[in-house]
Amino acid sequence: MARRIGAGRGQLLQERLRRFQELPQRIQGSQVWTSIFRPGSIFRKGYTDSPRNRSYVIMNSVLYHLHPVKVKRHAVKVSYTLCLGGLSFFLFIILTVTGIFLMFFYRPTSAQAWNDIKTLQTSVTFGLLVRNMHRWAAHLMVLSVFLHMARVFYHGAYKPPREFNWVIGVILLTLTLLLSFTGYLLPWDQLALWAVTVGTNMMGYTPVFGQQVRFALLGGVEIGTETLLRWYVLHVLMLPFVIVIFMAIHFWRVRKDGGVSGPL
Amino acid sequence: MTEVPEHLLKRAAERRAALSGEKGGDGGGEAPPPDQPGGGEPAQEPAGGGGGPAPARAATATATATAQVTAGAGAAAPVGPAGHTQRLLTVVKAGSIQDVKATPVDKVHVWPHLLVGEFVASLAMTAFLLVFSAFVNAPLLGTANPNLTPNPSKAPWYFLGLQELLTMFHPMVAGVTIPGMGIFGLMFAGYIDKNPSHKPEDRKFAIALFTLFMMFWATLVIVGSFFRGEGFNFIFPWRQGVHEIFDL
């Protein structure tokens, strides 16, 4: 009797083991899974290294919006591009993520801004670290965009058919500088106030409409709490929105114009 | 571009002439191949018995579409002037539907060759940024005070070249004209530079000009950052230190 119960239990265990082993197949055959992953996706049919599967990895993922299936061999050489364009984009992503974190703890009024930053640094977990990362990534992005431009120039990649994408690139450089400059004011410390004062005074010398533009940007004749709100909105919403559009055009044209230029 | 073979052109011209001649004539007697999609002339169904003409289409290697029409019961056989049963509809040039690559390009798969590189680069950047941020704090001076002007007052480092120009030129020239010319000159580089070569040895002037441009700004930024002290007067940083005069 006892032996028979033991045999039954063994069968039950075997049955459960079998069902457990079938689990991956059942999950991958489910409607939820197949609705997420496209036919041909490696998450549906598994991945073994073959030229066809290497193509499928790109073709069946969202990366296909950014990268073609194949690129010129010299284009993947680090010594050719120095990764500068990609790193600029990656720094933009880091800045977005850390910036969203900072937004939770910051109010753009002259009475609260500086105290919020101080509190962020002293009382918020990882607050100081994330603020540091945001600041240094911003400086690095200005630098990497500059260097990317230099790299592109020295390779002659601004020439036809890429001359329009180079124009977009110069616009992106300008937008990067504006993003950095608008962010510069937000800590509302002496450094921020006077750096922006110097910068916007220069802007006021633009002929015809310089003073009007300065007035509109500052929300008055001097930098004050209105300026802080305007530059905050520019910094966290408007300029990122604009730069993302131009980045999309920039990346699209890189592919349409035949990928990375060269070899020399 | 592919040349249209001589005999086809001739045949097409003949057919066109024949058709226009028929149109000018009785009007009802024209019998072009019916049901021909893409056929230039308007096709009329020949008024005939039950079984209409059955068209069969075939594309020849010279990219001429031929329409062979077998006559149905009672319908007039649509034959050309010289007994031809085909006509030239269109000529498709080789480059228009398929891209003929003159030279094969050496290519690699984006996965893994490019993606791995990008992933490593982004990891390295994240690691650098994390470590650097763990050790070096972003500056936070005293709260903003419009009544207390620091000496010197400096713009962010990337604008210090412009601020340096302010010491030499009228503010409009330094703050608007020169940077404006710089930005627009840069923007239209691809339209100004007509030299098609990408090789450095063919582009000595462009490279020299650009290097000069970059060095000009770098020098101005460095001087503005580290060699300007109180009252934006020229100083040597190794005598006074950069703590008081430069902040990021």
Side-chain angles (χ1 to χ4, degrees), chain A residues 120-140:
Chain A
L120 171 83
Q121 294 196 158
T122 50
S123 313
V124 176
T125 312
F126 294 124
L128 179 62
L129 180 74
V130 175
R131 177 171 178 244
N132 290 347
M133 283 179 72
H134 194 77
R135 184 103 181 177
W136 302 135
H139 286 314
L140 267 178

Side-chain angles (χ1 to χ4, degrees), chain A residues 47 55 67-69 71 73 114 131-132 135-136 139 153-154 156 158-159 166 180 188-190 194-195 205 264, chain B residues 106 108-111 118 133 136-139 141-142 144-145 148 157-158 172 186 193 195 197 203 211 248:
Chain A
Y47 181 80
S55 305
H67 286 312
V69 167
V71 290
R73 184 180 292 279
W114 189 85
R131 177 171 178 244
N132 290 347
R135 184 103 181 177
W136 302 135
H139 286 314
F153 189 93
Y154 285 123
Y158 61 91
K159 299 188 173 195
W166 167 267
S180 176
W188 201 243
D189 61 349
Q190 280 289 77
W194 292 100
Y205 286 106
L264 290 178
Chain B
D106 187 16
V108 291
H109 273 101
V110 163
W111 168 260
E118 286 178 340
S133 300
V136 187
N137 283 341
L141 308 185
N145 183 354
L148 185 67
W157 64 270
Y158 38 83
M172 204 195 93
L186 216 52
D193 185 357
N195 175 8
S197 173
R203 304 177 52 226
T211 309
L248 281 168

Side-chain angles (χ1 to χ4, degrees), chain B residues 151-238:
Chain B
N151 192 0
S153 292
K154 289 190 178 181
W157 64 270
Y158 38 83
F159 288 153
L160 279 181
L162 294 181
Q163 202 178 344
E164 182 64 27
L165 283 178
L166 271 179
T167 62
M168 310 174 204
F169 299 101
H170 182 270
M172 204 195 93
V173 178
V176 182
T177 314
I178 294 178
M181 274 166 52
I183 286 282
F184 280 100
L186 216 52
M187 232 182 227
F188 297 118
Y191 302 93
I192 298 166
D193 185 357
K194 296 283 182 196
N195 175 8
S197 173
H198 287 231
K199 290 192 169 67
E201 56 266 32
D202 300 337
R203 304 177 52 226
K204 283 185 180 139
F205 178 71
I207 286 177
L209 197 66
F210 187 77
T211 309
L212 216 62
F213 176 77
M214 293 296 271
M215 289 301 113
F216 172 71
W217 282 116
T219 311
L220 287 182
V221 166
I222 289 169
V223 170
S225 301
F226 303 118
F227 292 84
R228 292 289 177 179
E230 262 182 42
F232 220 65
N233 290 317
F234 192 87
I235 54 122
F236 288 111
W238 48 86

Side-chain angles (χ1 to χ4, degrees), chain B residues 9-31:
Chain B
L9 279 174
K10 197 176 157 199
R11 193 184 297 168
E14 278 171 4
R15 180 66 188 143
R16 209 172 292 131
L19 272 174
S20 58
E22 276 172 31
K23 264 176 201 159
D26 52 359
E30 59 184 29

Side-chain angles (χ1 to χ4, degrees), chain A residues 117-192:
Chain A
I117 300 284
K118 197 74 185 166
T119 313
L120 171 83
Q121 294 196 158
T122 50
S123 313
V124 176
T125 312
F126 294 124
L128 179 62
L129 180 74
V130 175
R131 177 171 178 244
N132 290 347
M133 283 179 72
H134 194 77
R135 184 103 181 177
W136 302 135
H139 286 314
L140 267 178
M141 185 174 163
V142 173
L143 199 66
S144 72
V145 170
F146 248 109
L147 293 176
H148 173 59
M149 182 185 74
R151 196 284 294 171
V152 166
F153 189 93
Y154 285 123
H155 283 160
Y158 61 91
K159 299 188 173 195
R162 299 184 177 78
E163 69 270 45
F164 179 68
N165 213 13
W166 167 267
V167 174
I168 301 281
V170 176
I171 292 171
L172 283 172
L173 168 70
T174 316
L175 285 169
T176 306
L177 289 176
L178 284 176
L179 268 166
S180 176
F181 191 51
T182 49
Y184 219 84
L185 181 69
L186 302 185
W188 201 243
D189 61 349
Q190 280 289 77
L191 180 64

